[in-house]
Amino acid sequence: MLAEGALVAGSEDALGHGDARVTGGTLRVPEGLRVRGAWVQDAGTLEVTVRAGGKAPLTVGHRAVLGGPAVLALRLDAERPPAAGSTLPVVAAPRLAGRFERIEVNSDRLRAVPVYTAEGLSVRLVRR
């Protein structure tokens, strides 16, 4: 469980093999992260790097639940930046419930429009 501070997921299996919960702080996912159990985010920030042609930075083995003041911060990859009009996977899960309260993008030109489904979250990048 991450309750405060910042944690950088340095590898795909950085959080082990069970469930994961974010109740505060920031979890940074620069490459990709696999959670074999359930994912719950009640608050705090999930910061992921997205790139053109990339896969979902967060893959969850069981149910993913979002709620409360949870924030998604998208960092556009400088070497393979996605273009306006791109739809990018962010969270892949067998079941997804809830929504992020806010989605931020580190771009002055693009904003993200969330596309929630029962199996995950993608964002469509559009011009501001």
Side-chain angles (χ1 to χ4, degrees), residues 27-98:
L27 176 61
R28 290 187 180 102
V29 181
E31 292 296 322
L33 178 64
R34 178 175 51 195
V35 174
R36 294 180 191 261
W39 171 267
V40 177
Q41 185 170 352
D42 312 298
T45 300
L46 173 64
E47 181 181 300
V48 298
T49 300
V50 292
R51 54 192 47 89
K55 64 178 186 168
L58 176 61
T59 302
V60 179
H62 295 288
R63 183 179 174 142
V65 180
L66 306 170
V71 175
L72 174 63
L74 300 173
R75 303 292 167 235
L76 305 182
D77 186 292
E79 292 184 19
R80 292 189 354 226
S86 300
T87 299
L88 307 165
V90 177
V91 178
R95 291 177 294 167
L96 173 72

